């Protein structure tokens, strides 16, 4: 989706990926399949680029630094380094005075007792690195043996977080240009199933002041990271209405699944904003023109595309991944309705 | 733009083109550069496709028929054959009882006198085939030597059309699915310079009944051709207000430059509608969400992209063509404004 946004703006996109059959390769001017650690291939790739970006945050930091020495790389290694490690990410956010859930690093089974003393129960144990879509996570409640949770996540360096009793989850997708200017999309309300994003709805069921605060926090984080490109900040909303509080859950230094609705319901997508920022262009002023529900097509759900294709206001995006696997994101659909149809999506209503 | 719309829907696109450096190749899963007449290459290409379409109407009819015998080809050879020849196109439209300007075929310099007797002066002499963007056209007014006009268009088989004193030019972009269902975009108002489309604006300055009539005519033409895919019909509007009349100027059996605004100002683009029709999917119900002016970037005008990139509501599309040439379409920009800002674009106002 980034490669296509780049092509629309006239850029010839070169893709570097360790994965054969990358969907991006099918829509890029050039693609090479090489390892993250192959310096010769990386150097050759860099020589062929004017600017470099990444689409997921698990690019090794050494690879990012190698490329950043040769060509403008946005977002920079700082954004990548901080968000690759949950402890450094949480420390960074907390250091900005932004509310997050109590947490403690856990480097061994022995650390778990003191960490639970800090967070209380229930709590969630998460690997520090390479976790996504609910992988590498284990909940610890009153009945859980902490040692079993430690084994469940693979006995890897971890962080324990207090479980937040939230009323809803929201996210802010914000773009930051090279000159520091910011442009945020409307706040998005997210629902997860089994740790994987299931739906995103806009407008979110939060009051205006909560939405404005979320956007302001996302802007502070992006600026503090000197981030260039799109950044996503996921929040827990605790309580309801004007007295609700926001807690930052997670940061992603990239375009984000909860921003996929912008492709069809806003005048500019997160993908175009990201490419503009990376290329040093000014940002657009995206305006949301429709109400929208984004639904992920996970695993075999993608086989339901014919019914979705028959809905006159359902905008389907299929990624062209060769193999359907359980839990794998195969595509998404943005269901639109005209603005003002409802004040918000509310509880569990569906289009 | 078609290839990217197809990729969004999960299709792997194969491009067949006689042109090296085709911009489509950079966003397609596969591209081959071969001649239109190379049967072996065409047969190989067809074997690799589930359905085939074209992006311009000058594909030789023999090529289209060769492919149509092997795979579903949409639009079919009928749409292509009729619209490749201005005389057959005009006869076809006139045969449906739809108003067009008086015309006469001109196969030799000797035909010009009787033809002018039928059309009167001023008139426009156009080659029957392969004309586009004002190429192969010559106006004949009171001072013109008809023989000079005949030479000017290359002494090729031609058609003479009565010059229409129009108040404005509009077009309808309509999609027709395999099951015959239709979906039209809002009527577009076009301004040409030197025979090349300069701008398209929506909403058009025509009253509702004129707009509805234009859409109805486009639907009749699409249905009569048994067209599958997007079709563009260009009209002259004669007179103003409710008493204005519509005259069909030209048909294009494909996505059309005057429909490029749909990429940014409607909930579905002409490109997606075309791919859906070709693939046998149902059509979407596109809704225009913004007022829009599409401006073509022709020749060196594309060098003005930095100023356009700095406009917060200007959506730039650059085609990645390697060489800037005078009169060559290098890209376009869609300038948006919220709906209801003005009732129509009016005379020569600009965003």
């Amino acid at each position: 989706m980034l490669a296509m946004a780049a092509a629309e703006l006239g850029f010839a996109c070169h893709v570097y990926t360790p994965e054969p059959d990358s969907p991006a390769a099918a829509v890029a001017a050039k693609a090479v399949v090489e390892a993250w650690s192959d310096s010769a291939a990386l150097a050759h790739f860099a020589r062929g680029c004017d600017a470099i970006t990444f689409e997921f945050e698990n690019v090794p930091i050494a690879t990012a630094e190698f490329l950043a020495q040769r060509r403008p790389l946005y977002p920079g290694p700082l954004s990548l380094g901080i968000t690759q490690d949950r402890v450094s990410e949480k420390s960074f956010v907390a250091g900005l005075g932004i509310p997050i859930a109590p947490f403690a690093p856990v480097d061994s089974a022995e650390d778990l007792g003191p960490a639970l003393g800090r967070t209380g129960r229930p709590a969630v144990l998460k690997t520090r690195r390479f976790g996504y879509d609910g992988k590498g996570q284990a909940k610890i409640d009153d009945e859980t043996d902490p040692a079993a949770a430690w084994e469940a996540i693979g006995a890897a360096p971890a962080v324990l977080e207090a479980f937040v009793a939230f009323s809803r989850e929201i996210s802010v997708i914000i773009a930051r240009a090279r000159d520091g200017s910011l442009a945020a999309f409307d706040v998005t309300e997210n629902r997860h199933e089994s740790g994987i994003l299931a739906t995103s709805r806009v407008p979110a069921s939060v009051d205006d002041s909560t939405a404005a605060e979320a956007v302001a926090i996302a802007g502070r984080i992006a600026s503090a990271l000197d981030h260039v490109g799109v950044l996503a900040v996921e929040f827990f909303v605790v309580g309801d209405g004007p007295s609700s509080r926001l807690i930052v859950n997670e940061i992603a230094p990239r375009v984000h699944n909860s921003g996929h609705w912008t492709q069809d319901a806003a005048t500019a997508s997160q993908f175009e904003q990201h490419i503009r920022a990376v290329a040093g262009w000014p940002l657009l002023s995206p305006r949301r023109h429709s109400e929208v529900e984004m639904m992920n097509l996970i695993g075999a759900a993608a086989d339901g595309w014919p019914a979705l294709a028959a809905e006159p206001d359902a905008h389907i995006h299929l990624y062209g991944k060769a193999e359907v696997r359980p839990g794998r994101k195969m595509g998404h659909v943005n269901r639109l309705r005209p603005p003002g149809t409802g004040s918000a999506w509310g509880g569990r209503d569906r289009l």
Side-chain angles (χ1 to χ4, degrees), chain A:
Chain A
M1 297 180 268
L2 283 170
M4 287 190 273
E8 283 285 356
L9 296 174
F11 296 108
C13 227
H14 291 207
V15 170
Y16 190 104
T17 172
E19 267 183 67
D21 296 325
S22 154
V27 288
K30 201 167 158 181
V32 289
V33 180
E34 301 288 359
W36 290 133
S37 56
D38 185 333
S39 338
L42 287 170
H44 182 75
F45 170 75
R47 279 194 297 276
C49 295
D50 294 311
I52 302 176
T53 187
F54 48 84
E55 67 157 16
F56 86 139
E57 71 271 41
N58 290 335
V59 175
I61 196 75
T63 305
E65 282 169 350
F66 183 91
L67 294 170
Q69 282 157 17
R70 285 157 178 81
R71 286 292 183 273
L73 174 84
Y74 297 108
L78 180 65
S79 291
L80 201 60
I82 286 179
T83 59
Q84 275 185 352
D85 182 305
R86 291 187 192 275
V87 172
S88 69
E89 178 181 309
K90 286 173 191 298
S91 305
F92 179 80
V93 175
L96 296 174
I98 294 167
I100 59 167
F103 72 97
V106 175
D107 291 322
S108 67
E110 290 67 47
D111 288 350
L112 265 172
L116 280 165
R118 185 150 169 202
T119 63
R121 295 188 188 214
V124 184
L125 187 66
K126 301 178 177 177
T127 53
R128 284 174 72 148
R129 289 174 172 272
F130 305 124
Y132 69 98
D133 284 351
K135 296 186 175 90
Q137 301 196 10
K139 194 172 172 190
I140 300 180
D141 55 26
D142 289 342
E143 290 82 46
T144 313
D145 171 12
W150 174 247
E151 292 304 322
I153 66 157
V159 61
L160 187 72
E161 302 170 22
F163 182 82
V164 176
F166 56 84
S167 58
R168 51 194 80 243
E169 293 179 273
I170 64 171
S171 58
V172 171
I173 308 295
I174 195 164
R176 187 168 176 274
R178 288 196 196 173
D179 69 0
S181 57
L182 295 162
F185 292 97
D186 283 5
V187 170
T188 305
E189 182 165 350
N190 303 317
R191 192 168 54 79
H192 290 79
E193 284 174 10
S194 314
I196 304 179
L197 183 65
T199 63
S200 291
R201 290 170 172 179
V202 196
S205 308
V206 292
D207 61 292
D208 291 349
S209 67
T210 302
E213 191 192 340
V215 169
I217 288 173
R220 284 174 58 203
I221 292 173
S223 299
L225 287 169
D226 196 19
H227 188 83
V228 172
V230 162
L231 177 94
V233 181
E234 294 184 89
F235 297 88
F236 296 126
V237 183
V238 179
D240 259 315
S243 67
S244 59
R245 289 183 303 120
L246 287 172
I247 291 177
V248 167
N249 174 28
E250 219 171 281
I251 303 172
R254 52 163 167 82
V255 290
H256 192 256
N257 195 171
S258 71
H260 286 5
W261 65 266
T262 61
Q263 294 178 305
D264 295 303
T267 56
S269 76
Q270 64 170 347
F271 304 100
E272 178 170 3
Q273 291 286 69
H274 184 78
I275 295 294
R276 283 178 161 256
V278 168
W281 287 30
L283 301 174
L284 290 173
S285 302
R287 172 170 47 84
R288 182 174 58 78
H289 55 70
S290 298
E291 302 188 357
V292 59
E293 181 187 69
M294 188 285 304
M295 181 176 77
N296 272 328
L297 302 176
I298 297 170
D303 297 335
W305 66 263
L308 295 170
E311 290 183 27
D313 297 304
H315 297 260
I316 302 185
H317 302 263
L318 295 170
Y319 307 151
K321 293 181 180 174
E323 194 193 344
V324 176
R325 281 183 236 138
R328 191 177 205 198
K329 290 175 181 168
M330 304 302 297
H332 65 276
V333 59
N334 289 322
R335 290 184 164 109
L336 303 192
R337 61 187 193 189
T341 310
S343 63
W345 287 99
R348 287 288 171 260
D349 60 321
R350 279 285 301 277
L351 259 174

